[in-house]
């Protein structure tokens, strides 16, 4: 037994979440020790104050660790054809150095996951998504001879930089030419002997970028970024602030609006793109793709459910509310998926799944709220909104506004 | 010549709110402002290249959320950012830090006094209870207690019901509270001098009362009854400075078809046959309208832009006697870097909320004694904020601007009028004091704007520079504001209304006065009400 390697001093080693490439810096800044986990990585809920961090996204800029997000290289002469067959959007239209948001479905037209595809060279694509997808990608590659799938999750350090001063921060970091980068574009810059890839993408509805770099330079990039952003209010933000910002922007969140089809037990408790109001991502002009036939049928008869954006009177957050067609709760017509008080718009907002036919009538939310331990119930007549609650012009403006 | 449905005198934030609601209801409105810029005391101005000062008001908490939401002010560019982390400095340089985190704040208080750390909960609960009642009245027109109109009786009953809901003991406490001094009120809770001073500071801001003067307890409440996103007592900053609020209101008003005319003030409200019919401007132009609304304070409205002969007996005298004493100064400073303060941890969160150079109750009272004698203290009470720590739009990157609000500063000096020299000497005492707590502070100064009541009155027409457009004492609150019998925005001349902070619920950037006045005007015009009534929802 003496030849056995010594057991780790920490008996919980195997249970502790892994650290991301930016952990060292982020741990130092997590004054509140507010951690959760994502895909096996330790991940911040918030660092100091969730609302403060939310306002960094709307007022200054903030960084969000996207190392735990899954990243795959799909490369080779058949890469485009394989992706085109897998996702509902037309990937052949995606030019080099452009990014597109998409969903992919089962044969039944139910969503497996959503994510973004980066065309990083002629026949190399990077797919990023919330959940590990190796097995689905391999299945999707069956029948394509010349395509290679590589899990790059650990090989690329990703950091999202979002907020109105994000552009000024990156300029101060010395990224020449960034002013021409349009939304969903990609640019590359030399950094410490490696390549720093910058895409104008994000999940906040605000001006923002995502930075992709070799892990060896992750901390150096962090330091350079934070030095440049010092006068522009740079601050890390976690899951709580992200969730607030994305809801204001009307973006769906896995496990809130989306129950991944492959992980769903109950019949049709997963969603189709039409149900999530993502019909614009489905391109029937292209030939066969996963779920095409089912989706065509669904388009004909209309989705059973529809995700809507709601403006709710009062300030009682409708979290978990059940929706009815009348104030007296005659018929149940749906449920709230996410809800919050929006500090920027000063409105009580929510996303809700409503049975499509019921959209013609009134939508009442049955809201429970608490006041000094006592529970109260109220009914609120909701208003359906077409536009995102928050999507300022600066999100798309090129070149972006300069702070100096 | 075009005849408007309504002309609003003054583009203060309340005048703009009033005009926005009237325009939204379909009226043809015109706002006339004497200055080339709008906003009155809610204004942002570039006073030094690259530095944008909120020249008067500097922080926001009273702004009615319902109005922000209803007029879609976010779309018109308004973003209110709550701030955190405030430090109070005592006479001997000792500090009391208010952290964002409750647990941390408790630990900090406990270092000063375990008793006070504990009592703070009771203090907050009591204040919260008082605040809750007042908050409910903000977007409501006060009832006229002498009227038998069903509407007034209904409103009086509502008010009575709200009061009785406090319970018998609290009811007595509340009535007592209105006539108490801030110091008296606080003695019941706290033992530590710095804790008392820090908690007392909202009781003297803007008022010509001292911490020991009856009535200052209400002023304290007035400053903590606001909220940011429902967090009662929290304060925030408007991105782009306080002018962003006025600009958003103006943009909303214009989107509804309202018009604005700047650069020439109203000389006189035109009255014919006992009815207001329009205004005559200083440049000789005349604007006719069916309704005239004044955003000016009560003293200025009745004694400066109206003819005494157009007024019923006694009104002129009431306006003359309206309590509107100036008591505050403001020093806006451009800084080349972020100042560091003694006894304050050097982390990016603390000091962002602000600095209260509160000293002690005694120091505050001594400063008040100076005011009574017509001079200023060399150890004044200063409430400071560094908005550029929060807002990337108000100073060049890496540079800062600091807002300093000073209590007290007399409108007239014992030794005669204000002069530029005396003004600068007053400013000097302010930076001398800050330097005591922040060695090297003076070396950071790039530009400085010193404002005494004299400057404030001359620029935006707040009589004596009184920040609330009239003292917030019980004789001038609720249905007594501005005068008993005129608490419902209608003035003694037919077709004439008031909508500024001289009306209920008083001073502060709240938009409530302007909105309430619009509601009354629409009622008189027999139009449907489009002004939100309830801001605290079902709290
Ligand atoms: C130094 C200072 C600091 C303050 N700090 C705060 C703070 O931090 N937070 C807060 O909530 N409140 C604060 N206040 C109070 C608050 O700013 C005021 O109560 C509020 O802005 C008043 O708004 P108003 O629209 O009622 O009137 P005003 O802002 O007084 O508007 C009146 C308008 O009428 C115009 N006018 C005057 N005469 C004429 C004329 N003859 N013809 C045409 N136009 C005319 C003026 O130029 C002005 O634009 C502060 C005030 C001051 C002075």
């Amino acid at each position: 037994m003496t030849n056995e390697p010594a057991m780790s001093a920490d008996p919980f080693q195997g249970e502790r979440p892994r650290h991301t490439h930016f952990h060292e810096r982020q741990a130092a800044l997590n004054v509140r020790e507010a951690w959760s986990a994502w895909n096996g990585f330790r991940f911040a809920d918030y660092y100091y104050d969730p609302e403060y961090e939310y306002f960094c996204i709307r007022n200054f800029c903030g960084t969000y660790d996207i190392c735990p997000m899954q990243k795959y290289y799909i490369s080779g002469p058949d890469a485009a054809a394989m992706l085109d067959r897998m996702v509902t959007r037309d990937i052949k239209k995606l030019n080099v150095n452009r990014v597109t948001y998409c969903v992919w479905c089962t044969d039944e037209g139910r969503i497996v996951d959503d994510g973004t595809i980066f065309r990083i060279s002629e026949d190399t694509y990077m797919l990023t998504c919330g959940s590990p997808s190796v097995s689905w990608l391999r299945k999707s590659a069956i029948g394509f001879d010349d395509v290679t799938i590589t899990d790059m999750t650990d090989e690329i350090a990703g950091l999202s930089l979002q907020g109105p001063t994000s552009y000024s921060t990156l300029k101060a970091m010395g990224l020449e030419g960034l002013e021409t980068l349009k939304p969903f574009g990609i640019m590359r810059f030399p950094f410490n002997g490696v390549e720093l890839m910058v895409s104008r993408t994000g999940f906040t509805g605000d001006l923002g970028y995502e930075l992709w770099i070799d892990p060896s330079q992750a901390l150096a990039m962090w330091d350079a970024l934070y030095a440049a952003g010092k006068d522009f209010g740079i601050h890390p933000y976690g899951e709580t602030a992200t969730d607030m910002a994305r809801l204001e922007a009307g973006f769906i969140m896995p496990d809130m609006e989306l129950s991944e089809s492959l992980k769903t037990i109950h019949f049709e408790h997963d969603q189709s793109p039409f149900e999530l109001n993502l019909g614009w991502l489905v391109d029937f002009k292209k030939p066969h793709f996963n779920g095409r036939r089912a989706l065509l049928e669904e388009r004909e008869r209309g989705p059973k459910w529809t995700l809507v954006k709601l403006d709710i009177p009062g300030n009682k957050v409708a979290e978990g509310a059940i929706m009815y067609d009348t104030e007296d709760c005659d018929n149940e017509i749906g449920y709230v998926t996410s809800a919050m008080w929006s500090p920027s718009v000063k409105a009580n907002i929510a996303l809700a799944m409503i049975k499509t036919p019921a959209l013609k009538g009134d939508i009442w939310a049955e809201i429970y709220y608490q006041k000094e331990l006592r529970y109260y119930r109220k009914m609120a007549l909701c208003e359906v909104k077409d536009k995102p609650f928050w999507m300022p012009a600066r999100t798309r403006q090129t070149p972006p506004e300069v702070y100096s | 010549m075009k005849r408007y449905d309504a002309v609003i005198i003054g583009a203060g934030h309340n005048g703009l709110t009033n005009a926005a609601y009237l325009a939204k209801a379909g009226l043809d409105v015109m706002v006339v402002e004497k200055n080339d810029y709008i906003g009155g005391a809610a204004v942002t101005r570039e006073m030094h290249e690259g530095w944008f000062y909120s020249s008067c008001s500097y922080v926001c908490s009273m702004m009615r959320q319902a109005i922000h939401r209803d007029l879609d002010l976010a779309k018109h560019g308004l973003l209110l950012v709550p701030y955190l982390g405030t430090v109070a400095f005592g006479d001997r340089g000792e500090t009391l830090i208010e952290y964002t985190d409750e647990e941390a704040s408790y630990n900090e208080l406990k270092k000063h006094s375990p008793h006070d750390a504990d009592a703070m909960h009771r203090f907050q609960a009591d204040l919260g209870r008082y605040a809750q009642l007042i908050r409910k009245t903000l977007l409501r027109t006060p009832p006229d207690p002498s009227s038998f109109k069903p509407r007034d009786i209904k409103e009086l009953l509502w008010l009575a019901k709200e009061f009785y809901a406090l319970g018998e003991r609290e009811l007595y406490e509340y009535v007592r509270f209105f006539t108490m001094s801030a110091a008296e009120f606080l003695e019941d809770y706290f033992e530590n001098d710095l804790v008392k001073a820090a908690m007392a500071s909202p009781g003297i801001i803007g008022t010509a009362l001292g911490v020991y003067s009856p009535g200052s307890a209400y002023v304290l409440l007035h400053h903590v009854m606001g909220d940011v996103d429902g967090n009662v007592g929290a304060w925030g900053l408007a991105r782009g400075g306080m002018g962003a609020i006025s600009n958003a209101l103006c943009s909303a008003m214009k989107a509804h078809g309202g018009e604005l005319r700047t650069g020439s003030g109203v000389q006189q409200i035109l009255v014919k046959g006992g009815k207001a019919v329009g205004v005559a401007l200083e440049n000789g132009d005349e604007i006719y309208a069916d309704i005239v609304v004044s955003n000016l304070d009560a003293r200025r409205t009745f004694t400066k832009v109206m003819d005494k002969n157009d007024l019923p007996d006694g009104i002129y005298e009431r306006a003359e006697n309206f309590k509107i004493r100036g008591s505050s100064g403001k020093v806006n400073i451009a800084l080349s870097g972020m100042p560091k303060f003694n006894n304050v941890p050097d982390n990016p969160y603390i000091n962002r909320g602000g600095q209260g150079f509160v000293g002690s109750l005694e120091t505050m009272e001594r400063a008040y004694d100076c005011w009574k004698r017509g001079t200023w203290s060399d150890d004044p009470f200063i409430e400071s904020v560094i908005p550029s720590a929060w807002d990337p739009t108000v100073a060049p990157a890496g540079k800062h601007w600091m807002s300093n609000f000073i209590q007290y500063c007399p409108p007239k000096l014992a030794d005669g009028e204000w002069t530029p020299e005396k003004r600068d000497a007053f400013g000097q005492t302010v930076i001398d004091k800050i330097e005591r707590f922040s060695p090297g502070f003076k070396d950071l100064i790039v530009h400085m704007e010193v404002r005494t009541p004299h400057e404030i009155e001359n620029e935006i027409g707040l009589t004596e520079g009184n920040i609330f457009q009239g003292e917030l004492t019980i004789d001038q609150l609720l249905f007594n504001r501005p005068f008993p019998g005129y608490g419902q925005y209608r003035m003694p001349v037919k077709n004439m209304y008031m909508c500024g902070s001289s009306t209920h619920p008083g001073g502060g950037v709240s938009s409530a006065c302007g909105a309430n006045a619009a509601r009354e005007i629409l009622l008189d015009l027999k139009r449907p009400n489009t002004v939100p009534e309830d801001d605290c929802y079902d709290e």
Side-chain angles (χ1 to χ4, degrees):
Chain A
M1 294 294 277
T2 46
N3 290 340
E4 289 267 304
M7 278 293 282
S8 154
D10 177 4
F12 299 104
Q13 181 69 38
E15 295 176 52
R16 293 193 195 278
R18 301 171 60 199
H19 290 173
T20 75
H21 302 299
F22 299 109
H23 181 77
E24 207 178 313
R25 296 293 183 273
Q26 293 177 154
L29 293 169
N30 199 322
V31 179
R32 307 284 186 233
E33 301 285 355
W35 299 105
S36 58
W38 179 20
N39 286 340
F41 287 96
R42 172 152 291 179
F43 197 71
D45 270 337
Y46 58 93
Y47 292 81
Y48 188 78
D49 179 76
E51 200 178 36
Y52 176 76
E53 288 153 31
Y54 157 83
F55 273 109
C56 285
I57 302 172
R58 296 286 179 243
N59 179 33
F60 288 126
C61 68
T63 62
Y64 178 69
D65 189 352
I66 45 177
C67 291
M69 198 161 72
Q70 304 297 293
K71 306 162 198 79
Y72 303 97
Y73 275 0
I74 293 136
S75 52
D78 285 342
M82 177 236 145
L83 286 171
D84 209 37
R85 161 74 208 264
M86 184 177 102
V87 307
T88 62
R89 253 186 143 163
D90 190 346
I91 291 303
K92 289 185 299 295
K93 286 188 190 150
L94 185 65
N95 292 327
V96 174
N97 288 334
R98 296 288 299 164
V99 187
T100 190
Y101 170 64
C102 29
V103 293
W104 46 101
C105 297
T106 61
D107 286 345
E108 293 74 35
R110 315 299 288 177
I111 300 176
V112 174
D113 206 351
D114 69 341
T116 41
I117 296 180
F118 296 62
R119 186 166 182 191
I120 54 181
S121 71
E122 194 51 38
D123 53 14
T124 304
Y125 296 81
M126 177 170 81
L127 180 141
T128 70
C129 54
S131 295
S133 303
V134 187
S135 111
W136 189 255
L137 285 169
R138 285 229 202 117
K139 265 198 194 351
S140 305
I142 293 173
F144 295 95
D145 300 330
D146 220 342
V147 58
T148 313
I149 294 160
T150 321
D151 186 345
M152 298 296 288
T153 307
D154 290 352
E155 267 54 66
I156 301 171
L159 192 66
S160 186
L161 176 72
Q162 302 284 309
T165 62
S166 56
Y167 169 71
S168 297
T169 297
L170 292 175
K171 285 301 276 184
M173 203 174 131
L175 304 193
E176 290 303 324
L178 187 69
E179 56 279 4
T180 60
L181 185 61
K182 297 205 174 92
F184 293 101
I186 298 173
M187 275 180 125
R188 294 177 177 75
F189 305 88
F191 183 87
N192 275 6
V194 301
E195 181 188 272
L196 166 62
M197 184 172 96
V198 178
S199 54
R200 187 162 165 191
T201 45
F203 194 44
T204 59
D206 225 301
L207 174 67
Y209 301 85
E210 286 170 325
L211 313 179
W212 314 89
I213 199 159
D214 187 88
S216 66
Q217 296 306 316
L219 293 182
M221 182 192 81
W222 176 285
D223 294 340
L225 189 65
Y226 271 72
K230 189 177 141 284
D231 293 334
F232 299 110
I234 195 168
H235 192 281
Y237 65 93
E239 201 49 33
T240 315
T242 301
D243 195 32
M244 292 171 79
R246 70 87 199 175
L247 176 50
E248 285 179 337
F251 297 150
I252 60 161
M253 184 79 132
D255 288 338
M256 302 290 282
E257 281 69 36
L258 175 67
S259 176
E260 293 168 38
S261 189
L262 302 181
K263 298 179 183 168
T264 303
I265 294 170
H266 298 289
F267 180 62
E268 287 189 352
H269 279 54
D270 51 9
Q271 292 78 23
S272 76
F274 293 111
E275 289 179 347
L276 291 182
N277 229 328
L278 297 174
W280 58 281
L281 294 180
V282 185
D283 192 341
F284 290 114
K285 287 204 270 321
K286 69 175 189 172
H288 191 68
F289 57 92
N290 260 14
R292 187 174 200 274
R293 194 180 311 139
L295 288 169
L296 257 179
E297 270 172 35
E298 191 185 359
R299 190 181 64 172
E300 291 315 306
R301 72 174 141 73
K304 285 189 190 162
W305 298 83
T306 302
L307 183 75
V308 291
K309 304 179 193 68
L310 296 179
D311 189 343
I312 304 174
N315 62 352
K316 299 294 174 271
V317 175
E319 218 170 341
I322 302 284
M323 316 301 271
Y324 295 89
D325 57 347
T326 64
E327 192 172 7
D328 296 332
C329 305
D330 287 328
N331 296 293
E332 223 176 284
I333 58 168
Y335 57 94
V336 162
T337 55
S338 312
M340 71 182 276
W341 172 260
S342 160
S344 291
V345 211
K346 299 279 176 260
N348 191 16
I349 66 175
L351 294 177
M353 280 297 244
I354 304 292
K355 290 179 185 157
T356 309
L359 286 175
K360 290 196 207 87
D362 285 351
I363 299 175
W364 287 87
E366 182 188 26
I367 302 172
Y368 286 81
Y369 65 96
Q370 223 182 1
K371 189 157 73 178
E372 297 189 321
L373 303 187
R374 197 181 294 182
Y375 271 102
Y376 292 81
R377 169 188 178 272
K378 70 177 274 189
M379 295 299 294
L381 181 60
C382 308
E383 190 189 331
V384 175
K385 293 274 177 192
D386 297 332
K387 298 239 167 64
F389 306 104
W390 176 267
M391 197 60 77
R394 67 178 178 228
T395 307
R396 304 197 58 82
Q397 186 186 320
T398 310
E401 190 186 347
V402 182
Y403 293 80
S404 56
Chain B
M1 202 188 153
K2 182 168 177 182
R3 192 181 169 88
Y4 289 88
D5 291 328
V7 60
I8 290 92
I9 311 170
H13 84 284
N14 274 318
L16 293 166
T17 305
N18 186 262
Y21 273 108
L22 296 183
K24 193 176 177 213
L27 267 60
D28 209 355
V29 303
M30 162 63 90
V31 181
V32 276
E33 166 59 48
K34 78 177 175 75
N35 289 321
D36 294 331
Y37 49 89
I38 60 162
V43 67
T44 308
R45 296 177 70 200
E46 185 174 18
M47 300 305 290
H48 188 67
E49 205 189 330
W51 270 272
F52 296 83
Y53 296 162
S54 291
S55 307
C56 295
S57 61
Y58 49 103
V59 285
C60 182
S61 165
M62 295 177 196
M63 184 66 199
R64 298 295 80 212
Q65 201 165 268
I67 293 170
H68 193 153
R69 183 178 187 176
D70 188 58
L71 290 178
D72 238 340
L73 298 184
K75 291 234 164 57
H76 294 283
L78 181 59
L79 182 74
L80 294 182
V81 184
Y83 65 60
L84 37 94
T86 298
V87 184
F89 295 85
D91 281 329
R92 295 174 310 281
E94 70 278 28
T95 55
L96 174 70
I97 301 173
E98 196 189 307
Y99 293 100
T100 330
D101 183 55
E102 261 180 52
E103 309 295 329
S105 274
Y106 174 78
N107 286 342
E108 168 76 4
L109 270 170
K110 215 169 161 187
K111 277 194 270 176
H112 290 78
S113 155
H115 168 274
D116 290 1
D118 191 359
M120 186 58 84
H121 298 292
R122 185 167 61 92
F123 176 70
Q124 299 289 8
D126 288 351
L127 214 52
R129 198 173 308 119
Y130 296 161
Q132 199 193 3
L133 210 163
I134 293 285
R135 283 164 60 74
K136 288 186 188 163
T137 72
L138 297 179
L139 277 182
R140 298 174 83 110
T141 299
D144 179 348
S146 66
S147 144
F148 290 103
K149 282 196 204 126
R151 178 171 174 247
D152 287 306
I153 292 172
K154 211 174 122 209
E155 193 65 13
L156 270 173
L157 284 173
W158 174 82
L159 206 57
K161 198 180 113 239
E162 289 293 324
F163 265 100
Y164 282 105
L166 289 169
E168 194 179 348
R169 195 184 75 92
E170 289 303 329
L171 181 67
Y172 290 129
E173 286 297 318
Y174 202 20
V175 172
R176 220 162 68 86
F177 176 82
F178 269 91
T179 51
M180 262 192 205
S181 74
E184 240 180 314
F185 177 57
L186 291 161
E187 294 290 354
D188 191 33
Y189 300 88
F190 304 118
E191 60 177 19
N192 180 276
D193 285 342
L194 182 53
V195 175
K196 278 189 234 172
M199 294 300 126
S201 56
I204 60 165
I205 287 188
T207 179
L209 301 173
V211 273
Y212 292 102
S213 315
S216 52
Y218 174 76
V219 181
L220 191 160
L221 181 62
H222 193 83
H223 281 120
V224 300
M225 72 183 175
D227 71 292
V228 182
D229 296 317
N231 296 322
V232 179
W235 285 81
L237 294 164
R239 193 176 200 258
M242 295 300 277
I245 298 174
S246 305
N247 294 343
L249 286 163
C250 188
S251 164
M253 187 257 313
K254 287 181 176 169
H256 287 297
E259 293 173 47
L260 168 75
R261 187 168 161 167
T262 56
S264 187
V266 167
Q267 178 100 46
Q268 172 97 39
I269 295 179
L270 302 171
V271 178
K272 276 205 187 101
K275 285 183 186 164
V277 294
V279 293
L281 303 188
E282 279 151 8
N283 67 6
D285 290 357
E286 294 190 346
I287 299 173
Y288 295 96
D290 294 341
I291 284 171
V292 176
V293 190
S294 171
N295 183 194
L296 317 188
D297 66 59
R299 173 90 58 84
R300 188 161 302 262
T301 300
F302 294 109
T303 70
K304 291 284 191 327
V305 299
M306 290 194 82
D307 188 331
K308 193 175 172 179
N309 299 320
D310 288 334
L311 295 169
D313 282 352
I315 295 296
Y316 185 89
E317 291 71 19
R318 274 194 180 171
E320 284 267 88
N321 294 333
F322 183 61
K323 262 194 310 196
I324 183 162
R325 303 168 298 190
S327 65
S328 320
K330 181 90 194 286
V331 177
N332 299 313
I333 304 178
L335 297 167
S336 61
M338 182 59 101
K340 289 209 185 321
F341 297 91
N342 290 339
N343 294 327
V344 175
D346 187 14
N347 77 49
Y349 307 108
I350 307 313
N351 264 322
R352 293 195 146 226
Q355 304 75 28
F357 301 97
V358 299
S360 58
L361 296 181
E362 284 67 32
T363 310
M364 290 181 191
E365 189 66 4
R366 272 201 303 276
Y368 180 49
D369 292 338
C370 293
W371 176 85
K372 284 187 267 182
R373 289 199 308 272
T375 179
W376 64 84
S377 164
D378 56 10
D379 195 4
F381 165 87
I382 309 172
E383 181 179 84
S384 310
V385 183
I386 305 179
S388 51
W390 286 96
D391 184 347
T393 69
V394 292
K399 311 249 187 326
H400 290 283
W401 97 265
M402 186 179 189
S403 160
N404 302 284
F405 184 91
I406 295 97
Q407 205 66 20
Y408 299 82
C409 188
K412 285 202 180 56
L413 297 169
D415 62 357
E417 294 294 319
W418 279 98
T419 61
E421 294 71 35
K422 292 180 196 167
R423 178 197 64 206
D424 292 345
F426 164 71
Q428 191 63 36
T429 62
V430 173
I431 57 171
D432 285 346
K433 175 154 183 177
I434 299 174
E435 176 83 20
R436 264 168 50 204
F437 300 88
S438 175
F441 175 78
K442 286 185 194 171
D443 300 335
L444 299 173
I445 298 176
V446 178
H447 173 265
M448 209 164 120
E449 181 199 27
V450 183
R451 297 162 68 77
T452 71
H454 177 76
E455 279 78 27
I456 295 172
E457 168 154 16
N458 281 345
E459 281 176 32
I460 51 169
L462 284 170
T463 301
E464 289 202 11
N466 181 294
I467 78 165
F468 302 125
Q469 282 201 357
E471 195 68 75
L472 298 174
T473 44
I474 183 95
D475 54 321
Q476 298 191 159
L477 283 174
L478 222 66
F479 35 71
N480 289 337
R481 195 167 183 88
F483 322 129
Y486 294 97
Q488 297 182 328
Y489 309 92
R490 288 172 197 82
M491 290 303 130
V493 172
K494 221 170 158 341
N495 296 346
M496 190 210 150
Y497 298 81
M498 274 174 63
C499 74
S501 301
S502 275
T503 61
H504 171 77
V509 180
S510 70
S511 279
C513 312
N516 289 345
R519 191 185 308 111
E520 293 305 308
I521 293 169
L522 293 176
L523 186 76
D524 288 353
L525 293 176
K526 303 199 166 42
R527 295 204 178 214
N529 176 35
T530 51
V531 183
E533 293 199 311
D534 182 13
D535 196 38
C536 17
Y537 304 112
D538 9 58
E539 87 183 1

